[in-house]
Amino acid sequence: MNLSDKPMIMANRSISSDRHDALAWAAILGFAFLTAFGILIHAGGLLRFVFPAAAFLVAVFLYPRSPILYLGFAWWIAFLAPFVRRLIDYQSGWVDPSPVLLAPFLVLTLTALSFIRTLPRLYRQGGLPFILAIVAVVYALLVGVIKQSPTAVIVPLLNWVTPILFGCYLFVHWRDYPRYRQSLQQVFLWCVLITGAYGVLQYLIAPEWDRFWLVNTKALAFGTPEPLGMRVFSTMNSPGPFATTMMAGLLLLFSSRSQWRFVAVTVGYLSFLLSLVRSAWFGWAVGLITFIPTLKPKLQMRLVVSILVMAICVMPLINLEPFATVINSRLQSLTSVSSNDASYNDRLEGYNDFLGQALSEIPGEGLGFTISHGTIGSNDSGILSLFFMFGWFGTIPYLGGIFLLFISLFRSSEGRSDSFIAAAQAISLGIFAQIGLGVATAALSGIVMWGFAGMALAGQKYHLYQRSQNLLELETLPREVLPS
């Protein structure tokens, strides 16, 4: 090949990439138009099935052609599918479980192709944590098929396995780390801005579709279906996943330089606090404490300045009614647990009743098992859920994989010069720290945890490769041109 041919080849690749992006955007916009049109004409009964099917088809189209847009599409489907479900149910009647909520998992199951393709060399590349976690989920699946109804394991399987596959997908595409990093920063900037603003609006006016959902779920812990009575869940399925997602976005914004970040954090922190999810507040604190020491002094100073500016933006709103009373009351409960704290007392009673039984599960009950108790449910404790479903045989490799994951994350110093890696490490640890108070490693919370862990590992691998390439180039230079 002649050197003069290279510009032509690069130009052809650029044209091909632009064409793929144009077609990808056409598919995404067509999907958005189809969804909006179906809601406008009140075709909710049909849209319940069309929405997840169409989302999957768009993902199939994007996956090989435009990985960056596939990544963004997957995140936004996860953020918005519960909101679409509520609009459909409000128009066409309550249906539970709703097929609409399958859309994020159908989109993310495509990442299994990457896992299968790279499995033979995944261990050598540092992917043992993902392999161990997948093995544990497969074990729990087999036990569940034997002990539970075969149909009862489908949704739990998607909840547990897709976050791991997604994190592994991001890890094995480490060569594209800079592009994936930019995409993720943009996605979470706009996620905090849009879902945070809607969360504040939700608290103030309580839209009809949100009231309808709250009444039908009979979730008393989520507040009352009236203005100023709801715990904010924004466009997501409950306050817990929303608060975890917002926690991740708010920590990530510390590494952002976008001019929109201060607007985003204003509504983001307000809605985050209005969710009243103390476990997510605790996770945010763990993440921030983890984040600061991993940065270089120059980046630490910039972070401190960002925190001060963000505090100036947020504090006046927090101290105004109708926000101040409800937020301050919940904040006070962090330091003084009282006999009237129903959430704390229910979890404590549940642990007293079930922890011994859970720890005695050797083979486990398998995926599909649910805790039936008046004070604690299957989503209220990741520890109880793990031991009941996975048993010791599944819990050891699953938690072992996560333990190895965090060792890999924090033994590298790449986060000192790349604030995104430092933020991703902090987010992953902050979410996992909530495992005693919720199922932090599965469903949407798990997607966020495993996703950012996969990105942090990808960033480390990318920077190590870049350093090795730079050293190789220096070694090949003639001695006379090397710096003295």
Side-chain angles (χ1 to χ4, degrees):
M1 182 182 67
N2 295 328
L3 292 176
S4 59
D5 293 334
K6 288 186 177 180
M8 182 67 72
I9 293 173
M10 296 300 294
N12 289 336
R13 287 179 180 174
S14 178
I15 292 170
S16 177
S17 177
D18 290 344
R19 185 182 298 116
H20 282 161
D21 285 350
L23 291 173
W25 274 112
I28 293 171
L29 293 175
F31 170 78
F33 175 79
L34 175 66
T35 303
F37 183 71
I39 292 172
L40 287 174
I41 65 171
H42 290 216
L46 180 62
L47 195 59
R48 279 194 182 101
F49 301 96
V50 171
F51 181 84
F56 178 71
L57 291 176
V58 171
V60 168
F61 181 80
L62 296 176
Y63 183 81
R65 294 172 178 83
S66 184
I68 300 299
L69 290 179
Y70 166 76
L71 176 63
F73 181 73
W75 280 115
W76 280 107
I77 289 293
F79 298 153
L80 298 178
F83 178 71
V84 174
R85 179 261 178 102
R86 294 200 293 272
L87 292 176
I88 291 173
D89 283 356
Y90 178 66
Q91 292 181 348
S92 303
W94 174 254
V95 171
D96 190 47
S98 175
V100 174
L101 298 182
L102 290 175
F105 302 107
L106 292 175
V107 170
L108 289 173
T109 51
L110 293 176
T111 57
L113 300 174
S114 179
F115 177 78
I116 294 169
R117 187 177 67 252
T118 60
L119 184 57
R121 60 183 185 277
L122 188 58
Y123 173 78
R124 296 192 304 272
Q125 293 180 344
L128 181 59
F130 303 103
I131 296 173
L132 287 174
I134 291 287
V135 167
V137 174
V138 171
Y139 167 79
L141 168 66
L142 296 176
V143 175
V145 169
I146 295 170
K147 290 191 173 185
Q148 313 297 331
S149 166
T151 57
V153 305
I154 296 174
V155 173
L157 173 63
L158 294 173
N159 279 330
W160 284 92
V161 79
T162 48
I164 307 168
L165 293 172
F166 185 52
C168 186
Y169 169 82
L170 294 170
F171 167 64
V172 299
H173 287 82
W174 60 269
R175 293 179 186 275
D176 292 320
Y177 165 74
R179 297 167 64 213
Y180 280 38
R181 175 182 60 190
Q182 183 181 9
S183 172
L184 212 56
Q185 287 175 322
Q186 289 295 317
V187 165
F188 272 84
L189 168 66
W190 291 104
C191 171
V192 171
L193 182 58
I194 294 171
T195 64
Y198 181 78
V200 176
L201 184 70
Q202 183 182 66
Y203 178 75
L204 292 173
I205 69 172
E208 289 292 336
W209 42 86
D210 293 332
R211 296 189 203 182
F212 181 81
W213 177 83
L214 195 57
V215 168
N216 282 279
T217 57
K218 300 180 175 64
L220 300 178
F222 297 168
T224 56
E226 58 186 356
L228 312 184
M230 288 184 180
R231 292 176 59 185
V232 165
F233 47 88
S234 189
T235 63
M236 298 171 212
N237 205 36
S238 65
F242 167 70
T244 299
T245 303
M246 194 60 57
M247 180 211 86
L250 292 170
L251 287 173
L252 188 60
L253 283 179
F254 285 130
S255 67
S256 173
R257 294 187 178 184
S258 171
Q259 60 183 350
W260 289 97
R261 68 186 185 278
F262 295 115
V263 179
V265 297
T266 301
V267 293
Y269 274 108
L270 186 56
S271 62
F272 178 58
L273 291 170
L274 289 171
S275 71
L276 307 183
V277 181
R278 290 174 294 189
S279 60
W281 298 352
F282 169 72
W284 177 88
V286 170
L288 186 62
I289 293 170
T290 305
F291 188 25
I292 295 175
T294 58
L295 298 172
K296 287 182 177 179
K298 180 180 179 181
L299 294 177
Q300 287 178 345
M301 184 59 65
R302 196 175 77 192
L303 175 61
V304 170
V305 172
S306 296
I307 292 173
L308 291 175
V309 174
M310 291 175 182
I312 292 171
C313 295
V314 176
M315 291 304 294
L317 289 175
I318 294 175
N319 290 295
L320 288 176
E321 295 297 349
F323 310 121
T325 300
V326 65
I327 292 174
N328 289 331
S329 174
R330 194 67 166 178
L331 286 171
Q332 289 171 6
S333 70
L334 291 172
T335 56
S336 57
V337 178
S338 69
S339 58
N340 296 325
D341 193 331
S343 176
Y344 171 81
N345 292 326
D346 286 348
R347 276 192 171 86
L348 184 61
E349 182 180 345
Y351 269 104
N352 289 334
D353 292 344
F354 280 111
L355 185 58
Q357 183 182 343
L359 293 177
S360 67
E361 289 284 349
I362 304 301
E365 298 296 326
L367 295 180
F369 175 82
T370 57
I371 300 173
S372 179
H373 194 269
T375 60
I376 194 168
S378 295
N379 294 325
D380 294 329
S381 169
I383 295 174
L384 294 180
S385 294
L386 265 176
F387 278 100
F388 271 120
M389 289 193 291
F390 289 61
W392 280 98
F393 290 156
T395 299
I396 289 174
Y398 188 84
L399 290 181
I402 292 178
F403 182 68
L404 289 176
L405 182 74
F406 284 115
I407 290 178
S408 299
L409 286 178
F410 289 99
R411 73 182 177 188
S412 171
S413 61
E414 303 298 335
R416 292 185 62 80
S417 55
D418 187 335
S419 60
F420 178 89
I421 293 178
Q425 293 170 339
I427 289 166
S428 301
L429 184 61
I431 294 175
F432 182 71
Q434 305 172 46
I435 194 169
L437 302 170
V439 185
T441 61
L444 181 56
S445 297
I447 291 169
V448 178
M449 191 204 88
W450 285 97
F452 276 98
M455 280 297 295
L457 290 177
Q460 292 175 1
K461 199 172 182 69
Y462 175 83
H463 286 299
L464 286 172
Y465 175 77
Q466 290 297 314
R467 280 211 300 269
S468 66
Q469 290 298 106
N470 292 337
L471 289 173
L472 186 61
E473 289 176 4
L474 285 174
E475 290 174 359
T476 58
L477 286 175
R479 185 176 298 274
E480 58 269 17
V481 299
L482 289 174
S484 57

